[in-house]
Amino acid sequence: MNKRSYKHNKGHAINDAAIQRDGIFGEIGQTLNANDALAIGCTLGTMLKTKDQCLAIVGIDNRASSAILETEMCRGLAASGCYVMRAGVAPAPAVQFSAHCLNAASIMITGGSDHHDINGFRLSADGVPLYGNRLQRLTALAANGSWHKERGGVLDGNVLELYIKKLKQNVHSKRPFKVAWDLCGGAACMVLSELSDGISGEHLMMNDQLDAQFGLELPDSFTATRIATVTEVVIEEKCDLGIIINADCTQIAVVDHQGRLWESHRLCALFCQQLLKTQPDSTIVAGMDCPTAIKQCLEKNGKMEFAPVGLGSVIEKLGSANANLAYGGNGHYVFGKHYNFMAFDDGLFSAVTLLNLLGTSNENLSSFYHRFQDHVTLPRRYFEHDAPDTVIQAIRKRLMLNKVSFNDLDGLRVDNDQGFWWLHCLEHNNKTQLVLDIAATSEGGLTETSAVFQQYFSLIGNETTKPQEIKPTLETKETALTGSAKAKALKAISDADREEIDFTSRHWRSIRKANATTIIEDKPKPKRPWKR
């Protein structure tokens, strides 16, 4: 094979601000542009060709900027000798599932749950996400510009048919449910109408048309406005539950029939409990920030494997540990071999799994809520130190002297019956900072766990200089809510405030299933009540 340098041999530097832990994401025209897509395509194509691989699948979400990024990405891959299947607008899990079936690399062009003017690339090869050091290597090669040049090709393909068929095969519940769905105007719109044909019951669809601006809201499942809207629909229409799927179908949020938001850890604990009934001694994977409630679910007949925080590392660990379930945090769940599905975070498959679970239990979702403990956190604390690792090592030494169990996979995590504290390093503004996270199952547990950490922290000065705490600056940009902040935000919405929102003019479609007959009722489509 004749290997030569690609003609743009000066390379192309990706903006450092766009290189994140699990992918490359930036604001279009500011920190990310079409040249980045071309360079990443050339570089990934070169990496694939060195392994004698030549097939890649490129999918996009429905942001306005995705099409031009797709064009340049495909051009770069094809110029490096790869054959590219262009999937068009599709859910990220559909692209990843097809890549798994075809033993191909996958490139999902998506901004995920971020604002519509943010876009980026989520990459995988050999069935493993490109993240962390692998991603750093890719961007370094892009800057170097030593690209392989060989003629490849681009063709259009359909990844939806196979994906929808696989989802339908996993629908086992015959119990009819009335479900309110918010699809955020994202890629789930292309799947759910057909998928719901195989799910018994009635389905109320909101934001079920592709919208490049997602109704001018964050396309995140945990955006407070979306949760409030779905909650109103669930209560007014007497639904069994409400489900929100984010823009690229990787995330799910759930509201029960009482209008109560299920925090991510609580839903994961429910999945764990059901899994252990059928598969005792199963392994569950989670990041180092895994809530105590999930860990406690596994104490009797399950195993916990920790991974560094981040979807990429959690997904890779699921494969290496032969685990059946992984918790990616903030509504991201990864299902393993027991579920006969592809190991990527999939909001739609999570929804199908939840409905299957409820269908076999003959209980409503709200009856499970208090079987799992709460998850409360203290605000994250930041510290500066010339040598952060020496601080961690100093505390580690004292933990060993006191014969205290700890996990040092990434920093130090110490658990007790009430919660945990986790001290670790984080890169911020090209500086390495010490970060402290403290979480527990109650406010009293927070106090106790914080006091335990403080005992060790106060002795640091005996062995090394004590770190200086940094007060974080307040962020003014609108973000989706996570953790206990979600519930607090919803409580802050008073009844009077909710009455001011005109939910009576909401557009929805009611799809009823009865004896294999589908009746679709279309109501006039007014302006969405939360559009500005």
Side-chain angles (χ1 to χ4, degrees):
M1 185 181 292
N2 182 22
K3 294 187 176 182
R4 292 179 294 165
S5 180
Y6 185 64
K7 62 181 180 180
H8 298 302
N9 54 13
K10 290 184 179 179
H12 175 79
I14 309 296
N15 193 309
D16 287 340
I19 304 171
Q20 300 182 22
R21 182 173 54 201
D22 292 308
I24 297 170
F25 305 98
E27 184 176 356
I28 294 298
Q30 299 297 321
T31 56
L32 194 75
N33 57 47
N35 291 331
D36 297 324
L38 177 61
I40 293 169
C42 292
T43 306
L44 181 59
T46 299
M47 293 170 67
L48 293 174
K49 292 299 290 185
T50 59
K51 298 181 180 181
D52 292 327
Q53 298 174 348
C54 62
L55 184 60
I57 301 178
V58 177
I60 64 174
D61 68 13
N62 52 305
R63 285 171 167 81
S65 58
S66 293
I68 183 62
L69 296 179
E70 175 195 46
T71 299
E72 295 304 294
M73 176 66 71
C74 291
R75 190 159 73 94
L77 287 163
S80 302
C82 290
Y83 289 90
V84 186
M85 190 172 95
R86 186 167 49 200
V89 178
V95 174
Q96 293 155 343
F97 179 64
S98 294
H100 168 71
C101 294
L102 297 173
N103 194 26
S106 73
I107 301 95
M108 185 65 199
I109 298 174
T110 177
S113 297
D114 221 321
H115 201 261
H116 64 84
D117 59 357
I118 303 295
N119 216 328
F121 312 100
R122 191 175 175 186
L123 314 168
S124 72
D126 299 320
V128 179
L130 290 176
Y131 71 96
N133 292 334
R134 294 192 189 102
L135 198 61
Q136 293 286 347
R137 177 172 175 265
L138 183 143
T139 55
L141 289 172
N144 179 269
S146 296
W147 294 317
H148 175 68
K149 183 180 179 182
E150 183 182 344
R151 178 174 291 182
V154 180
L155 56 88
D156 293 329
N158 184 354
V159 300
L160 293 178
E161 185 176 346
L162 182 64
Y163 175 67
I164 294 172
K165 181 179 179 180
K166 189 65 175 178
L167 284 176
K168 283 186 171 182
Q169 288 174 350
N170 282 277
V171 176
H172 306 304
S173 174
K174 301 299 181 184
R175 179 182 169 188
F177 292 101
K178 187 173 183 179
V179 186
W181 299 83
D182 183 353
L183 309 185
C184 293
C189 301
M190 306 182 70
V191 173
L192 197 60
S193 180
E194 186 174 346
L195 174 62
S196 63
D197 289 342
I199 303 175
S200 299
E202 183 180 351
H203 303 272
L204 311 185
M205 309 285 192
M206 291 173 286
N207 298 307
D208 61 339
Q209 302 297 318
L210 291 176
D211 182 352
Q213 295 187 326
F214 311 112
L216 297 181
E217 289 285 346
L218 282 175
D220 187 291
S221 300
F222 289 106
T223 304
T225 311
R226 294 193 186 280
I227 294 170
T229 304
V230 170
T231 299
E232 289 289 341
V233 176
V234 167
I235 293 173
E236 287 180 7
E237 301 294 333
K238 296 181 173 57
C239 296
D240 295 298
L241 69 161
I243 297 175
I244 309 172
I245 306 292
N246 75 331
D248 61 359
C249 303
T250 58
Q251 180 197 49
I252 181 177
V254 177
V255 175
D256 64 25
H257 82 282
Q258 296 181 6
R260 184 170 47 196
L261 173 70
W262 273 61
E263 302 92 332
S264 297
H265 80 277
R266 208 178 293 267
L267 186 57
C268 185
L270 178 60
F271 288 145
C272 288
Q273 184 186 75
Q274 185 67 18
L275 172 64
L276 293 174
K277 286 181 180 178
T278 56
Q279 296 285 317
D281 299 322
S282 285
T283 299
I284 312 297
V285 172
M288 289 287 285
D289 57 353
C290 174
T292 301
I294 297 175
K295 195 167 180 285
Q296 289 176 344
C297 282
L298 307 173
E299 288 179 348
K300 292 183 179 179
N301 62 341
K303 302 173 185 176
M304 168 65 76
E305 288 277 356
F306 282 102
V309 171
L311 274 170
S313 55
V314 167
I315 290 170
E316 184 175 21
K317 185 68 174 181
L318 178 135
S320 63
N322 198 27
N324 285 319
L325 178 65
Y327 176 61
N330 197 28
H332 295 266
Y333 310 96
V334 189
F335 297 87
K337 292 181 180 179
H338 168 66
Y339 295 89
N340 190 28
F341 209 70
M342 181 54 187
F344 277 96
D345 48 323
D346 189 336
L348 288 168
F349 186 74
S350 300
V352 167
T353 303
L354 176 60
L355 294 174
N356 286 338
L357 186 157
L358 295 174
T360 58
S361 70
N362 294 319
E363 295 183 77
N364 58 44
L365 180 60
S366 61
S367 65
F368 293 94
Y369 187 86
H370 290 296
R371 299 180 192 180
F372 310 109
Q373 297 195 64
D374 292 333
H375 178 66
V376 292
T377 61
L378 287 176
R380 173 172 275 186
R381 294 170 64 185
Y382 298 86
F383 302 89
E384 264 189 356
H385 194 275
D386 292 337
D389 287 336
T390 62
V391 176
I392 291 176
Q393 291 304 318
I395 297 178
R396 184 178 185 276
K397 187 183 297 184
R398 292 195 172 273
L399 290 170
M400 293 178 68
L401 288 173
N402 293 337
K403 297 182 179 180
V404 176
S405 298
F406 59 86
N407 187 313
D408 59 355
L409 176 67
D410 179 9
L412 285 174
R413 171 172 166 146
V414 177
D415 287 84
N416 56 35
D417 293 337
Q418 301 282 345
F420 69 90
W421 57 263
W422 177 36
L423 185 68
H424 55 112
C425 294
L426 196 66
E427 292 292 328
H428 183 68
N429 291 336
N430 296 321
K431 288 184 179 180
T432 301
Q433 294 180 347
L434 277 170
V435 178
L436 174 66
D437 292 315
I438 298 178
T441 57
S442 65
E443 296 292 340
L446 278 179
T447 303
E448 180 180 327
T449 305
S450 182
V452 171
F453 169 78
Q454 202 61 41
Q455 289 177 1
Y456 290 99
F457 188 71
S458 61
L459 299 174
I460 290 177
N462 297 339
E463 300 175 35
T464 183
T465 56
K466 198 166 185 177
Q468 183 176 359
E469 186 164 1
I470 309 165
K471 297 298 181 183
T473 56
L474 293 175
E475 295 286 345
T476 56
K477 183 179 179 180
E478 180 188 8
T479 57
L481 299 174
T482 59
S484 60
K486 304 169 198 166
K488 292 179 181 178
L490 289 178
K491 289 178 182 178
I493 303 175
S494 67
D495 293 337
D497 291 334
R498 291 190 177 192
E499 287 174 1
E500 291 178 1
I501 305 175
D502 180 17
F503 289 100
T504 60
S505 64
R506 185 187 301 106
H507 166 62
W508 52 268
R509 288 192 302 124
S510 175
I511 304 177
R512 293 181 175 86
K513 307 293 182 296
N515 300 323
T517 302
T518 302
I519 305 170
I520 300 180
E521 299 176 351
D522 283 315
K523 294 193 173 183
K525 184 176 180 180
K527 182 179 179 182
R528 293 189 179 97
W530 58 86
K531 251 190 177 181
R532 294 186 184 89

